[in-house]
Amino acid sequence: MPPTTSSVQHRVHFLDAFLTPSPAPATSTLPPSVEPLIPSSSLLSSLPPKYRINSPSRPLKRPSGAQIHPVLTYTPGFGALLSWDLRLSPEQALVRSSSLAPTPLSAQLLSSPACTPPTPALAIQCSYLPWTLSVTPPADGSRAHAAVTVGDVLSALYRILRLGVASAELDEARPWVDVQRVRATCEARCAAVAHAGLREAERAKGVKRVDFLGDARMFRGFSVVSASDVKGRRSKRTALVDGPVWQLHVKRP
């Protein structure tokens, strides 16, 4: 079960410097030069023009009341258009459609702004996670004054959930998290690895952030956290965010 509302108000924020990321498989990256996997028109032709723009050429102002891209948006009773097991690479996610078979993410969709108006940074919270996750464009300077894209959000979420959790951090999270459940999820994830050698190597890496989700590992979309809720959730142990804050919704398979 996810934490109660009161427990969400006491989020802990751990510095990534204390975490050890596990190497991602070669297929887990989302290179900017990837070719479209499906005709982009079949996926994006119905989207409003505001979602079919390139990154702006001038510095972005931090938006107020940003609207999330339709593919990422959480809809009560439905979820999101994107079907994604958060244990897997975003390249394995599929976009649902009422008229077409589920389709892979296209390069054009991945490069679309994650919200409108575009933003240079955003934060993600989830009732299952005791961290505030920050998302920004690549820091290599390849996209000056760039907006956060759909691809940035998905790849950042995947990368952050693969980070290892130190024992000290796990102990510090005990007031807000069922650590026994987290460890059991970790063991189940490792046991599912078919190759014995790889299975033991995965066990040796220990708990990862994705294990905090328990069985609720299916992506259901994002909703915007209101300014009043963000202010109410802040405390000495909560990272202050600069930019819109999104709530990550998840479910069991």
Side-chain angles (χ1 to χ4, degrees), residues 33-59:
S33 60
V34 65
E35 293 298 324
L37 301 177
I38 59 171
S40 58
S41 59
S42 66
L43 181 62
L44 298 177
S45 58
S46 62
L47 297 180
K50 60 190 176 185
Y51 289 109
R52 289 184 252 135
I53 62 175
N54 295 321
S55 299
S57 57
R58 61 172 180 261

Side-chain angles (χ1 to χ4, degrees), residues 71-118:
V71 168
L72 302 178
T73 299
Y74 167 73
T75 301
F78 173 77
L81 292 176
L82 189 66
S83 177
W84 181 26
D85 185 332
L86 291 167
R87 300 174 306 173
L88 306 177
S89 163
E91 293 178 345
Q92 300 185 51
L94 296 174
V95 179
R96 296 186 286 177
S97 171
S98 59
S99 58
L100 301 171
T103 52
L105 292 158
S106 71
Q108 183 175 354
L109 177 53
L110 290 171
S111 63
S112 299
C115 61
T116 184

